[in-house]
Amino acid sequence: MPNIVELLSSPGLDGVRPLVGPLDAVEVTGVRLEPRPDRLAAMPAGTVAVLLAPVPGHLLDVAVRDAAAAGAAALVLTGVTEAPHGLPAEVTATARALAERGRVAVLYADGDLAGLVVAVERAVAGSAADALARVAAAAREVSAVAGAPDRVAAAAARALGVPVELRAAGPGEEGAAAAGPDGEIRLAAPARPGHAGSAVRSVLALAALAAAGGGHGDVPVRSRGRLLAELLVAPQDQAARLAARGRALALPVDGWHIALRVEAGGLDATNRPKELDVVMSQALTLLRTWDGPAAHPTTPASPPTDTVQWNAALVDDALVLLSTWPADPGTDGRRATLARARRVVDRLAGLRPEAGLRCGVGSPHRGPLGIRTSAREARAAVPRDAGPTVAAHDAVGLDRMLLEWYASDTAREAVAELLAPVLALGPQRAEPLLRTLQGYLDHNNSPARAAQALHLHRNAVGARIRKIVQLTGADLNEPDVRLALQLACRAGLSTPPGEPSAPPDLRP
């Protein structure tokens, strides 16, 4: 039976995040959806209990204690409580201590709970379906990093949930080999019984071919990344020559492009390029999976023409992800790309919280020079202060106009007076309220749409808006009041790179 560490490597469980408690203390025997936390003490030992509703902080301690008493393997929290960025609120110190002492893992999951249950049952059973799912996941991941043996081995290990090493197999191990340009590539992994063993053998065979760079045309894919990096940094008079090389390698330079720039401010400068290389692989795998298998060409002679294509390059200690469209994506395409950026950054931040990932999104532009223009816009849009981790280029210059308006003493005094009761709470408490108010007003007083944009539960949005109304006495049904508050929030919270910082009383 797998433990939680092994379970989390299973396909379909990438939306589950550990919070507290040991991950390797108890073997998983099954999974159960539990609508009532008061019944946790009666569940079988080794169960992964998935709570169907959020648990208030004062009841979480009791739930963890009961799960530990029953010998549960894990307690999975769902829903979103009052916390930034859609993450669950901080687990109490008591719950942490109970989880550690009781040897029960506390996890958090969002998304499809039925799919989560199926994935856990599949992994626990070690069935043919689990083996097939792992092979499919490995095929997607290793193809994205083909030709880089270390990264291929890491991708194969993630899919299998066991170590995969670049060496010949020893006694009691499975192995695979493939001829590469610099000699034979060999991979080894622990042998597993039954269907799990079939998955190990199949994935090792795929991974060996991918590591060697043969069999599926991924050498041009890697070359496209290098050429994209050249195109982004080379002098403009060399763009035509580089564009011709890009066409030969099926880099879609003549399409419509929207660039994403991902920076990792939390990483040490020495290790940043290596770490971003791993982030690039993970990001491309996610984006290409979401946009379908046709989103990236497999041969230079047959690029797709009816879907979004994703390519990537490392430039200036940052990752540039380029989405290319066959026609002008317009406003809808820009919104879709911004949503993709938020989703991928949220997912990667969960996998690598120490990286401090932030992302800027450019506007759509056409042709080789359009790649460079959108990349420059994405760089300018990268958020520099606390707050949202993803921001889009201000295409119409609204933020700039607001900042110029806010530079006048009259405007600053009006904003300070209007928001004084909120600002009196201090920066840490005021900033989430102001950002929620801005999102609420930007979406025509819709709690549901604001919650989606802010990655909050709609109840959290409602609670914050009620707090603001209570503090300010503002009538949000009055158009003039709404406009004044919207201008105040936007001016105070908008500080594009290269502009003077927001005033101290409104800085995030």
Side-chain angles (χ1 to χ4, degrees), residues 391-426:
H393 172 65
D394 181 25
V396 298
L398 178 60
D399 289 340
R400 184 178 299 277
M401 288 188 289
L402 284 171
L403 284 169
E404 291 174 355
W405 165 75
Y406 192 67
S408 71
D409 292 339
T410 303
R412 291 168 67 90
E413 291 172 4
V415 170
E417 181 178 353
L418 190 61
L419 299 178
V422 179
L423 298 174
L425 299 174

Side-chain angles (χ1 to χ4, degrees), residues 14-82:
D14 48 355
V16 180
R17 298 190 290 280
L19 295 179
V20 296
L23 302 180
D24 56 357
V26 179
E27 290 187 343
V28 179
T29 59
V31 61
R32 188 160 99 183
L33 289 172
E34 184 52 74
R36 292 176 49 186
D38 58 343
R39 299 194 303 198
L40 291 172
M43 65 184 172
T47 299
V48 173
V50 182
L51 297 178
L52 291 180
V55 180
H58 66 284
L59 294 180
L60 180 58
D61 299 349
V62 178
V64 174
R65 184 195 62 200
D66 289 349
L75 182 64
V76 183
L77 309 182
T78 60
V80 178
T81 57
E82 174 76 10

Side-chain angles (χ1 to χ4, degrees), residues 162-499:
V162 299
V164 175
E165 299 179 8
L166 282 165
R167 57 175 176 80
E173 294 182 322
E174 299 288 355
D182 300 319
E184 190 174 56
I185 300 290
R186 296 185 177 187
L187 293 172
R192 302 288 296 274
H195 296 298
S198 299
V200 170
R201 290 187 290 273
S202 299
V203 170
L204 286 181
L206 285 171
L209 284 172
H216 42 64
D218 275 308
V219 171
V221 171
R222 297 194 304 280
S223 299
R224 281 194 287 274
R226 290 193 291 268
L227 181 62
L228 176 58
E230 273 192 79
L231 187 58
L232 289 170
V233 301
Q236 184 169 324
D237 58 6
Q238 297 182 23
R241 176 180 59 83
L242 293 171
R245 286 176 53 197
R247 295 183 190 99
L249 288 171
L251 181 68
V253 294
D254 298 310
W256 284 81
H257 313 285
I258 301 178
L260 283 59
R261 182 182 177 92
V262 180
E263 298 184 0
L267 297 177
D268 179 79
T270 304
N271 297 322
R272 192 175 299 150
K274 181 179 178 181
E275 296 293 332
L276 278 175
D277 196 44
V278 177
V279 170
M280 178 171 68
S281 170
Q282 295 170 332
L284 279 177
T285 299
L286 291 170
L287 291 166
R288 288 170 171 173
T289 299
W290 293 335
D291 285 326
H296 51 100
T298 55
T299 65
S302 58
T305 58
D306 58 348
T307 55
V308 180
Q309 297 184 55
W310 287 96
N311 288 280
L314 296 178
V315 181
D316 299 331
D317 273 354
L319 167 62
V320 175
L321 298 162
L322 186 71
S323 64
T324 301
W325 305 66
D328 185 353
T331 303
D332 289 343
R334 191 163 182 253
R335 286 200 192 102
T337 304
L338 182 59
R340 280 284 189 263
R342 288 173 175 150
R343 188 178 176 192
V344 77
V345 170
D346 283 349
R347 183 69 61 84
L348 293 174
L351 295 173
R352 311 181 70 82
E354 76 287 354
L357 298 179
R358 291 183 170 272
C359 176
V361 181
S363 302
H365 294 277
R366 188 177 185 180
L369 296 180
I371 296 175
R372 297 158 65 98
T373 302
S374 189
R376 284 196 300 271
E377 293 175 349
R379 181 171 187 166
V382 175
R384 305 296 175 186
D385 297 314
T389 55
V390 178
H393 172 65
D394 181 25
V396 298
L398 178 60
D399 289 340
R400 184 178 299 277
M401 288 188 289
L402 284 171
L403 284 169
E404 291 174 355
W405 165 75
Y406 192 67
S408 71
D409 292 339
T410 303
R412 291 168 67 90
E413 291 172 4
V415 170
E417 181 178 353
L418 190 61
L419 299 178
V422 179
L423 298 174
L425 299 174
Q428 290 188 339
R429 296 178 62 191
E431 188 269 342
L433 292 176
L434 294 179
R435 290 202 180 277
T436 304
L437 177 60
Q438 178 181 329
Y440 179 76
L441 295 173
D442 285 350
H443 291 86
N444 296 320
N445 291 21
S446 169
R449 292 173 60 194
Q452 184 178 14
L454 295 167
H455 300 281
L456 290 171
H457 193 278
R458 62 179 298 166
N459 291 345
V461 172
R464 292 182 181 182
I465 295 301
R466 287 192 295 273
K467 179 72 171 178
I468 293 167
V469 171
Q470 179 186 3
L471 289 170
T472 63
D475 184 356
L476 298 184
N477 293 317
E478 286 292 330
D480 290 348
V481 174
R482 289 202 308 269
L483 177 60
L485 286 170
Q486 194 169 22
L487 288 172
C489 289
R490 280 186 170 270
L493 294 173
S494 177
T495 311
E499 296 294 333

